[in-house]
Amino acid sequence: MSKTKAFIISSEAFHRLIVHPKFDKIGENFTGYYNGTLNEFTVYNDVPLAKGSPIIDFFSKRNILQRKDNSCKTNWKQVAKGSNRKITIDELYGATEDCQSEFYQGCLKDYREHSPKFQKMILEFFKSSLGTDLASNSYFGDTTRANEKEWSLNQFDGIFVKYAKYIDKGGDLAPVVIDPIPSGVISPTEAYKVFSNAYKNQSYALQAESNKKKAFYASWDLAYGLSQYYQQIGARGGIIGYILNGMPTLDFEGIPVLVEPCWQPILNQLNNGNDAHALILTLRGNFIFGTNDSYGGGPELDQSLRVWWSDDDEVWRYKMHLTAGTEITRPQDSVLTLTEIK
């Protein structure tokens, strides 16, 4: 065991410093790179581990960390009434007993000298690494899926799995599903037709909402195709690079088009390397991310992140504990299309 005291942060600090910043609104804590669309999720940080929480309870408690987007004024306290659905969370655990590479150059020296730089750099390291896994699982996670080497996709069920369950059940909660998007390279005209078809097939309730309250969540190729279509007809510039830098300038009929960077590579991977695409039109803040900021990893481990250097084996080791789960507040007010993955 290391002769130097381990670096430890509590469950609450872990949530505040590492987990929740990935859900911050772009622009408020802008770091110079695009963080993706996790900021579009409504975060609830007090879901009981064993029994979960009814969705209706989220909107009467004070500890819900709601999105701060000024253009999103949907009154979720009203629309969630009458629902007996719950969000549940899974226990997640990350650990390595043989990490021979440094977190950053000179980290061992900083660790042994108890330098404030070590804490800062470690927090940034886990914030970046965990953020990628949270995004991939929040959308594509499926606990029944075999382990994926390149992406973390099987830790908890994500939004696409939730939609699939509502589609299978049918009834009033089923989203609108339009024709699938063909596999392969998509042309600007084809991309425009996908957006147009989704827009025309909104539910009556979704049509009645202001376009400023909605968003298209799109894979990169679809958004790029739409921007190229606008350029071809001389409608507008639609510079896709701005989208990837956290400044979404692209829209369709006044509805912003938001690109999630992890969608395209994951879809292509699931489609055996062939181009695949996905699009969701729904209300902003409709996706819920549930966690529990008081979860400490069990009675034997009263913290959520522990990092230490083993002098005996001369390796870095860490253990990380957290909980996570997703749900959709109004799945029926969504239009969904994606490439059929075979």
Side-chain angles (χ1 to χ4, degrees):
M1 173 62 74
S2 170
K3 299 180 179 64
T4 307
K5 185 178 180 180
F7 169 72
I8 299 173
I9 64 173
S10 67
S11 181
E12 291 83 356
F14 182 80
H15 176 80
R16 177 171 53 87
L17 298 174
I18 294 180
V19 177
H20 194 257
K22 305 309 298 184
F23 296 86
D24 280 343
K25 177 187 172 185
I26 294 173
E28 292 184 353
N29 295 288
F30 187 56
T31 56
Y33 60 90
Y34 183 48
N35 286 320
T37 58
L38 286 183
N39 65 293
E40 291 291 304
F41 280 72
T42 297
V43 179
Y44 185 67
N45 65 317
D46 193 24
V47 180
L49 181 61
K51 62 181 181 179
S53 287
I55 291 178
I56 191 172
D57 287 353
F58 290 8
F59 309 102
S60 60
K61 295 184 178 180
R62 294 181 179 179
N63 63 348
I64 181 172
L65 301 172
Q66 299 187 40
R67 283 176 26 79
K68 307 180 188 74
D69 195 300
N70 291 330
S71 66
C72 186
K73 298 295 184 182
T74 302
N75 188 342
W76 295 109
K77 294 182 181 180
Q78 297 298 322
V79 301
K81 289 182 178 179
S83 171
N84 59 1
R85 293 178 297 127
K86 289 185 176 182
I87 182 172
T88 58
I89 54 177
D90 294 313
E91 291 182 286
L92 305 179
Y93 171 74
T96 177
E97 298 294 340
D98 187 21
C99 182
Q100 297 183 4
S101 60
E102 292 186 311
F103 295 105
Y104 64 93
Q105 188 173 0
C107 62
L108 182 57
K109 179 177 180 293
D110 291 339
Y111 169 75
R112 285 174 169 165
E113 294 178 354
H114 305 286
S115 170
K117 180 183 177 182
F118 182 80
Q119 175 176 323
K120 178 181 178 181
M121 298 298 288
I122 285 296
L123 290 176
E124 288 299 319
F125 174 86
F126 282 97
K127 188 187 298 182
S128 176
S129 301
L130 181 61
T132 301
D133 290 346
L134 286 176
S136 60
N137 280 285
S138 290
Y139 284 110
F140 293 96
D142 184 349
T143 55
T144 65
R145 179 183 285 134
N147 185 43
E148 296 286 347
K149 294 182 180 180
E150 187 173 351
W151 293 88
S152 176
L153 302 176
N154 60 356
Q155 301 307 307
F156 57 94
D157 288 344
I159 293 301
F160 282 102
V161 168
K162 300 295 183 178
Y163 272 127
K165 291 180 179 179
Y166 288 121
I167 293 169
D168 290 341
K169 290 181 180 178
D172 294 338
L173 294 175
V176 176
V177 181
I178 59 176
D179 294 338
I181 309 170
S183 178
V185 177
I186 190 165
S187 71
T189 300
E190 291 170 334
Y192 175 83
K193 289 181 179 178
V194 172
F195 281 91
S196 179
N197 195 20
Y199 185 81
K200 294 175 181 177
N201 281 278
Q202 298 176 78
S203 65
Y204 290 125
L206 192 57
Q207 287 178 6
E209 298 284 0
S210 167
N211 282 354
K212 291 183 178 181
K213 297 180 182 179
K214 310 170 192 176
F216 286 100
Y217 302 96
S219 52
W220 187 89
D221 279 358
L222 275 179
Y224 181 74
L226 180 64
S227 72
Q228 293 298 297
Y229 176 84
Y230 285 149
Q231 290 185 26
Q232 289 179 6
I233 66 174
R236 69 185 80 180
I239 303 175
I240 195 70
Y242 283 175
I243 296 175
L244 294 181
N245 286 325
M247 295 174 286
T249 59
L250 192 65
D251 66 76
F252 185 92
E253 297 292 344
I255 301 175
V257 176
L258 304 178
V259 177
E260 170 50 55
C262 78
W263 280 24
Q264 197 69 64
I266 291 176
L267 284 166
N268 290 2
Q269 175 182 306
L270 296 176
N271 199 32
N272 298 314
N274 300 310
D275 288 339
H277 321 280
L279 183 75
I280 299 173
L281 169 58
T282 191
L283 291 162
R284 303 186 73 171
N286 199 13
F287 304 148
I288 300 173
F289 178 83
T291 185
N292 191 314
D293 65 2
S294 62
Y295 172 73
E300 80 286 353
L301 197 64
D302 189 24
Q303 67 271 331
S304 280
L305 177 62
R306 181 170 182 256
V307 180
W308 73 99
W309 170 261
S310 172
D311 284 323
D312 295 336
D313 301 318
E314 295 188 338
V315 295
W316 283 104
R317 293 176 176 172
Y318 71 83
K319 290 184 178 180
M320 177 176 60
H321 298 261
L322 71 154
T323 58
T326 65
E327 238 327 319
I328 308 167
T329 304
R330 288 168 60 178
Q332 71 274 26
D333 293 324
S334 307
V335 184
L336 175 69
T337 179
L338 69 161
T339 302
E340 291 183 336
I341 306 297
K342 299 181 180 180

